[in-house]
Amino acid sequence: MIEQYVRDLRDLDGTQVAAVGGKGAQLGGLSRIEGIRVPGGFCVTTDAFRRIMAEAPSIDDRLDQLSRLNPDDREAIRTLSAQIRRTIEGIAIPGDLAAAITRALARFGEHAAYAVRSSATAEDLPTASFAGQQDTYLNVVGPTAILRHISRCWASLFTERAVTYRRRNGIDHRAVHMAVVVQQMVFPHAAGILFTADPVTGDRKAATVDAGFGLGESLVSGLVNPDVFTVRHGEVVAKAIGAKQRALHALPDGGTQEVAVDAQRQEQPALTDAQVVRLVQLGRRIEAHFGRPQDIEWCLADDGFQIVQSRPITTLYPIPEAGDQENHVYVSVGHGQMMTDPMKPLGLSMWQLTAMVPMHEAGGRLFVDVTRRLASPASRAGLLDVLGRGDPLVRDALETVLDRDDFVPSLPDAGPGGPPAGGAPAPVETDPALVTELIERSQASIAALERDIRTKTGPALFDFLLEAFAEHKRVLGDPLSLQAIMAGMEATWWLNDKLWEWLGEKNAADTLTLSAPDNVTSEMGLALLDVADVIRPHPEVVAFLQGVEDEGFLDELAKLAGGTEARDAIEAYLNRYGMRCVGEIDITRPRWRERPTTLVPVILDNVRNFEPGAAERRFEQGRQRAQRKEQDVLSRLRALPDGDRKADEAKRMIDRVRTFIGYREYPKYGIVSRYFLYKQALMKEAERLVQADVLPDKEDIFYLTFQELHDVVRSKEVDERLIEQRKEAFRSYHALTPPRVLTSDGEALTGAYRRDDVPAGALVGLPVSAGTVEGRARVILDMAEADLEAGDILVTPFTDPSWSPLFVGIAGLVTEVGGLMTHGAVIAREYGLPAVVGVEQATRLIRDGQRIRVHGTDGYIEILS
């Protein structure tokens, strides 16, 4: 039965993870690569682990208890996991299993030194490395000691850190089994880690080598500062030699010892440049074999490099597929759309099919390739200007790439770079009737879609939708609509630039745009105040809503005193805004109409925090503030030299911004209205597929692209493995942080503000809505869990239009993502909320409940307590 419990490393490969764990399978794969040396040894399989676990039935009850614990209850996890470890270590290894291990040892030398290493079935995987979660023992000598350390490895599946890691990653404790690798010990001069891509920047062309004297464990454990080498295109381009004061060495009778390094050796490099380059060549060979960047543990002994581990680098952001070997620069779509969460495949493909420019997917997010526009000096200037006004961090990241002369080729202006980016459409008259006409056109197009889509099913629906997408793009690209949007934005920029130049006043347009007409997103927030006015007089309805969990609650309302009016008010709101939701650019996200409970906490906050008639009062107060600001600005301008001309120009721009800035929000409303109609039709198809036993769950269609779903509807056949793979990939994408700018080398660039005008310790961002406010920070990641009091400051990763109903009840806004003209900024200005957006890691650096001060005019946040 040797093959059941013990297998030689050279017989293993990536298909055997279930039997030998991630590390064993990876080492087996490594040992098969030509030119790569791996210390010899064997693997004790997961069958052995299962047999040991079966010897102690009490472990089952403890695993049940463990799975019920909160991942944050560290004390309970510590106690229970320690009990499980003690039980496993106390089980005697059965005689036939011990004999199989001893026979394997005899092949390599019974009294030689070995490394005994844990190899769990959930480690070194493409989506979760589990690095450092289980134990490794070095320089173990003799069969008795090796058997004891194998038991310890089995037990290490239940260290506190491993248990917590699995709970946080949603992995069942029973689904993970432990194999153990036993390998001949290497006694190296130097050892360390090689990353075949830069683990910080993501650059796939740069490899980094960490090196120290003695055993590599001293680096992994943080005992020494290693030498760090960076290699690009086969040469060392940077190095920092660490003061390596300590090293870990093996003892003759087993175990390891920390020793001091001779003073004259401490500053010497552990590797020569030639050795570093040779090591990286080996790393590239390993990377090519496994098909993705690797984190490699290596040793240098007398006769060359040996590889003792290689695992995928799971933290790197994926690169969009380009289909060529050229350099590419990609800009994140999610940062512009205020939705940086991953999207499901149907959501990605629907956005790609309805977008005005080609979009590329990576890590569940979309990116636009701007290489061509950056390559031509004329289009480059326009692109940087437009993107920079929206989000200075994007501009800075792009300029960082451009500073590397060789990355983006320079094309002549007349070349394939096309017309200048951001070339302004022809101006339009300042006429409110134009906005009315545009809204009516959009409404007519949506009404036609709603009428025509009702009768379409099966393959005919998909043919119809492709025509609908063409109409969708026609409406989005309507020249008059683009002119109106640009008119509002350019008037805003003009006012801010000129009033700063003439009056020394920052962001004056913020007040001038308060309560601008025709803003469908700000109207949506105010309309929910009106809903609260209907509900507030009815205590029974309020009490009922406080306990609502079921999505069918609207039908129950009619049974209560005042419930019919409450239901009608909510229904009317959903009829107008029910197509919206958080992350609404992803068609697969549940809409308010599908999940109306999402709105209940916001309605209850409005009932508690506001008096009747608040919506009308808020709008009127904003309108009057804007009017007073206009009079103030114009009178101050008239007092200046050439003041009448300046005042006349400013008046013209104020009228223009108030006419058009509200319309800025309407095209997105139109997109999302259309999206909901597409979704309803596709969900009916999904229900038919479930009824026909093609799919087990209608939401499985979310993991297919539009074209794949079309094929399934036509063929009535689906690849269930593909759907499962997509679900697993989608789960893994949540751990990735999408960059604002990404290159085809994999370098993720976030950009920097490069400002020196903020106080020490302040968090820097982009000022988008003027004013200063102090208050309690409410860090909210999910709108449905909002619990706000008047005067609170909302701190959140991003806010798309669906968050607007929260804006009526807060005093200020801080987001991690956003720009001057993104939805959160526009609505913050409409409501007069001081706001700073684009604050990197705001939800981590600001704690819920802290007092903070938001400087919306100058773009920074002070943490006060």
Side-chain angles (χ1 to χ4, degrees):
M1 295 291 287
I2 286 181
E3 70 285 347
Q4 182 181 356
Y5 293 128
V6 176
R7 297 188 190 170
D8 193 291
L9 281 182
R10 290 169 300 184
D11 297 335
L12 306 181
D13 61 31
T15 65
Q16 298 172 54
V17 171
V20 298
K23 186 175 291 156
Q26 200 82 349
L27 284 167
L30 277 168
S31 63
R32 291 160 174 250
I33 304 171
E34 191 178 340
I36 301 300
R37 295 177 57 210
V38 176
F42 58 89
C43 189
V44 182
T45 67
T46 53
D47 280 345
F49 170 77
R50 275 189 283 267
R51 186 166 164 193
I52 293 296
M53 292 290 276
E55 300 274 330
S58 66
I59 289 177
D60 251 8
D61 294 337
R62 288 184 177 138
L63 287 179
D64 285 337
Q65 293 173 49
L66 208 53
S67 64
R68 290 194 293 268
L69 290 179
N70 184 317
D72 295 322
D73 190 348
R74 296 184 60 177
E75 190 55 45
I77 288 173
R78 185 179 299 125
T79 303
L80 203 49
S81 57
Q83 289 171 2
I84 294 171
R85 288 198 305 280
R86 278 196 301 273
T87 302
I88 293 171
E89 287 185 40
I91 297 169
I93 297 178
D96 60 328
L97 175 51
I101 294 167
T102 306
R103 281 195 298 274
L105 282 171
R107 295 204 302 277
F108 296 98
E110 216 169 271
H111 292 283
Y114 290 88
V116 182
R117 314 172 69 193
S118 306
S119 178
T121 52
E123 69 174 27
D124 298 345
L125 304 178
T127 55
S129 75
F130 281 73
Q133 296 307 311
Q134 281 89 38
D135 288 350
T136 285
Y137 301 97
L138 300 177
N139 199 32
V140 184
V141 179
T144 304
I146 285 167
L147 290 172
R148 187 170 69 250
H149 284 85
I150 287 171
S151 286
R152 286 188 181 175
C153 282
W154 286 331
S156 77
L157 192 62
F158 298 99
T159 61
E160 181 189 346
R161 65 181 182 273
V163 166
T164 304
Y165 189 95
R166 286 196 294 275
R167 289 285 286 124
R168 292 198 189 286
N169 283 274
I171 295 167
D172 181 359
H173 301 302
R174 282 191 175 80
V176 184
H177 301 108
M178 180 68 85
V180 181
V181 171
V182 180
Q183 264 180 303
Q184 288 174 305
M185 190 67 194
V186 180
F187 301 101
H189 312 306
I193 301 160
L194 157 64
F195 295 98
T196 63
D198 188 315
V200 177
T201 68
D203 187 348
R204 309 306 201 264
K205 297 280 177 68
T208 64
V209 174
D210 290 7
F213 295 124
L215 293 165
E217 197 66 21
S218 61
L219 267 68
V220 175
S221 63
L223 182 64
V224 298
N225 291 322
D227 301 336
V228 182
F229 302 86
T230 302
V231 176
R232 184 186 281 275
H233 303 309
E235 62 177 293
V236 175
V237 294
K239 60 182 165 185
I241 306 305
K244 300 171 290 296
Q245 296 171 346
R246 316 291 293 167
L248 207 62
H249 286 291
L251 294 169
D253 297 326
T256 60
Q257 183 180 38
E258 185 186 321
V259 296
V261 175
D262 292 344
Q264 63 267 35
R265 285 188 71 215
Q266 289 178 9
E267 303 282 351
Q268 288 179 3
L271 296 178
T272 66
D273 284 10
Q275 287 172 325
V276 171
V277 169
R278 168 72 184 137
L279 177 60
V280 170
Q281 287 170 345
L282 296 174
R284 292 286 179 222
R285 196 174 291 180
I286 294 168
E287 178 183 67
H289 175 83
F290 290 117
R292 55 188 301 156
Q294 297 287 302
D295 162 358
I296 297 165
E297 294 176 27
W298 57 269
C299 299
L300 177 64
D302 293 328
D303 50 355
F305 287 107
Q306 298 208 44
I307 305 301
V308 294
Q309 176 65 306
S310 184
R311 61 173 72 90
I313 308 176
T314 57
T315 54
L316 297 177
Y317 201 85
I319 306 170
E321 287 183 20
D324 61 36
Q325 298 302 308
E326 303 297 316
N327 288 347
H328 294 269
V329 182
Y330 303 97
V331 171
S332 164
V333 172
H335 285 80
Q337 290 294 335
M338 299 295 279
M339 213 297 272
T340 53
D341 287 349
M343 295 166 69
K344 296 190 178 88
L346 185 62
L348 290 163
S349 67
M350 293 288 279
W351 194 260
Q352 286 170 310
L353 285 164
T354 52
M356 303 301 287
V357 293
M359 293 186 175
H360 308 265
E361 183 273 334
R365 281 86 168 181
L366 291 170
F367 294 84
V368 174
D369 186 343
V370 296
T371 321
R372 280 271 168 113
R373 289 161 79 181
L374 285 176
S376 161
S379 61
R380 179 190 309 149
L383 179 72
L384 291 174
D385 184 53
V386 168
L387 292 178
R389 282 184 180 274
D391 184 343
L393 293 177
V394 172
R395 178 175 186 140
D396 183 78
L398 290 174
E399 286 175 337
T400 301
V401 178
L402 289 168
D403 284 345
R404 296 168 195 153
D405 296 337
D406 57 341
F407 194 83
V408 178
S410 214
L411 294 172
D413 287 343
V428 291
E429 292 298 313
T430 305
D431 181 1
L434 288 176
V435 173
T436 306
E437 180 191 337
L438 284 167
I439 291 172
E440 287 171 353
R441 277 192 208 173
S442 175
Q443 287 173 336
S445 175
I446 292 165
L449 172 65
E450 190 170 10
R451 181 189 67 235
D452 296 343
I453 204 169
R454 282 183 194 141
T455 57
K456 306 294 188 291
T457 61
L461 169 67
F462 289 82
D463 295 336
F464 171 80
L465 282 172
L466 289 173
E467 293 173 20
F469 297 163
E471 167 66 3
H472 182 124
K473 292 207 264 192
R474 188 197 65 74
V475 172
L476 263 187
D478 179 343
L480 185 62
S481 177
L482 296 175
Q483 287 169 324
I485 291 168
M486 287 307 297
M489 288 165 62
E490 286 170 347
T492 304
W493 297 334
W494 188 97
L495 284 167
N496 279 337
D497 291 348
K498 290 297 184 185
L499 296 182
W500 169 245
E501 179 190 333
W502 292 339
L503 298 176
E505 187 166 339
K506 283 185 183 175
N507 302 333
D510 294 358
T511 310
L512 294 165
T513 53
L514 287 169
S515 299
D518 298 312
N519 188 319
V520 69
T521 310
S522 65
E523 288 166 4
M524 177 173 74
L526 296 173
L528 208 57
L529 287 174
D530 291 335
V531 172
D533 285 355
V534 175
I535 289 167
R536 193 179 292 104
H538 305 292
E540 216 178 319
V541 172
V542 174
F544 170 78
L545 289 177
Q546 284 165 343
V548 156
E549 289 180 3
D550 183 75
E551 297 301 343
F553 74 94
L554 288 170
D555 295 333
E556 299 295 311
L557 273 176
K559 301 171 187 172
L560 307 172
T564 304
E565 298 96 300
R567 184 195 62 196
D568 292 349
I570 296 172
E571 281 286 355
Y573 187 87
L574 290 172
N575 288 340
R576 179 133 167 78
Y577 304 111
M579 78 295 285
R580 308 216 86 147
C581 67
V582 172
E584 61 192 10
I585 68 169
D586 182 352
I587 198 171
T588 71
R589 291 286 191 105
R591 311 282 134 177
W592 289 344
R593 170 53 82 184
E594 297 168 312
R595 200 172 287 175
T597 53
T598 309
L599 291 173
V600 170
V602 193
I603 293 170
L604 290 170
D605 281 350
N606 288 350
V607 166
R608 187 175 70 246
N609 294 334
F610 291 93
E611 296 294 320
E616 194 176 339
R617 274 198 309 281
R618 285 287 294 268
F619 188 81
E620 184 55 27
Q621 285 164 359
R623 197 184 65 77
Q624 288 181 12
R625 271 188 65 199
Q627 208 166 23
R628 288 196 297 273
K629 184 67 176 177
E630 177 182 329
Q631 290 163 356
D632 169 60
V633 163
L634 296 179
S635 66
R636 285 159 62 203
L637 286 174
R638 287 198 182 97
L640 299 175
D642 198 18
D644 287 345
R645 179 189 63 80
K646 290 172 178 167
D648 289 347
E649 284 186 31
K651 171 62 176 161
R652 196 161 60 250
M653 286 299 176
I654 292 168
D655 289 347
R656 199 163 176 77
V657 84
R658 290 196 66 80
T659 298
F660 291 116
I661 202 65
Y663 178 72
R664 163 78 181 77
E665 291 292 297
Y666 200 86
K668 182 80 172 281
Y669 176 78
I671 291 171
V672 177
S673 299
R674 300 178 77 90
Y675 259 37
F676 191 38
L677 295 171
Y678 305 153
K679 183 180 186 180
Q680 288 171 307
L682 291 173
M683 292 312 288
K684 285 177 186 162
E685 287 303 313
E687 284 164 13
R688 292 186 191 99
L689 291 171
V690 171
Q691 286 160 6
D693 291 328
V694 177
L695 286 175
D697 185 328
K698 64 183 181 182
E699 292 196 355
D700 283 350
I701 70 165
F702 296 163
Y703 298 93
L704 299 170
T705 66
F706 178 81
Q707 186 55 54
E708 288 166 348
L709 178 54
H710 188 179
D711 294 342
V712 169
V713 166
R714 201 169 40 227
S715 67
K716 298 290 188 286
E717 291 177 4
V718 71
D719 183 346
E720 290 184 15
R721 280 176 316 168
L722 175 69
I723 289 175
E724 286 309 309
Q725 286 167 1
R726 296 266 178 84
K727 286 179 179 178
E728 178 59 35
F730 178 71
R731 281 192 289 271
S732 75
Y733 294 152
H734 283 278
L736 298 171
T737 302
R740 283 176 168 81
V741 171
L742 182 65
T743 73
S744 49
D745 284 352
E747 191 174 3
L749 297 130
T750 300
Y753 287 107
R754 307 190 193 283
R755 289 173 52 188
D756 54 11
D757 59 343
V758 296
L763 306 180
V764 184
L766 178 66
V768 295
S769 186
T772 302
V773 67
E774 243 179 69
R776 178 180 67 155
R778 293 311 317 267
V779 180
I780 295 175
L781 306 180
D782 180 351
M783 180 179 156
E785 292 170 10
D787 179 17
L788 295 161
E789 300 287 345
D792 283 348
I793 296 167
L794 174 63
V795 181
T796 192
F798 56 80
T799 61
D800 60 9
S802 69
W803 286 73
S804 301
L806 292 184
F807 284 22
V808 297
I810 58 176
L813 174 69
V814 179
T815 67
E816 295 178 337
V817 174
L820 200 59
M821 285 297 168
T822 46
H823 304 277
V826 171
I827 304 308
R829 290 193 290 272
E830 285 268 320
Y831 288 169
L833 299 174
V836 180
V837 302
V839 182
E840 284 291 294
Q841 299 192 345
T843 58
R844 296 178 203 170
L845 297 172
I846 299 170
R847 291 196 310 276
D848 187 55
Q850 279 186 314
R851 281 196 71 76
I852 61 173
R853 184 181 296 131
V854 176
H855 294 263
T857 307
D858 294 313
Y860 64 91
I861 293 100
E862 290 177 283
I863 297 175
L864 304 177
S865 67

